[in-house]
Amino acid sequence: RLLRTLSTVYRSLGLYQQSLPLAESALRLREAALPPGDPAVAQSQHDLGWLHFLRGDLKQAETFLSRSVEGRRLALGPDSLE
């Protein structure tokens, strides 16, 4: 959780290069520690997708944001508004 927070702070400051490895590590740790479909994994995928979007890497952004949406659908159900 701390890695995600640090990544978010760097991203908010526009320090995308410093944010990226932290966001990647946060996602890897969550994927290793949490079961498939856990909403925290989807949140980390969203964070990484948004970061790639801000950096102008739209292909990577689409990949991570699509995974995030699918993960949230699995975790929360197709009718969830979250």
Side-chain angles (χ1 to χ4, degrees), residues 30-78:
R30 283 183 170 183
E31 286 176 332
L34 299 171
D38 191 286
V41 173
Q43 179 62 55
S44 286
Q45 291 167 331
H46 177 269
D47 292 344
L48 201 49
W50 184 243
L51 181 58
H52 281 294
F53 174 80
L54 292 171
R55 295 178 69 229
D57 187 352
L58 302 183
K59 185 77 170 164
Q60 281 291 85
E62 181 181 22
T63 298
F64 284 104
L65 292 171
S66 295
R67 288 181 192 166
S68 174
V69 169
E70 186 57 33
R72 287 175 195 248
R73 278 192 189 126
L74 290 172
L76 305 172

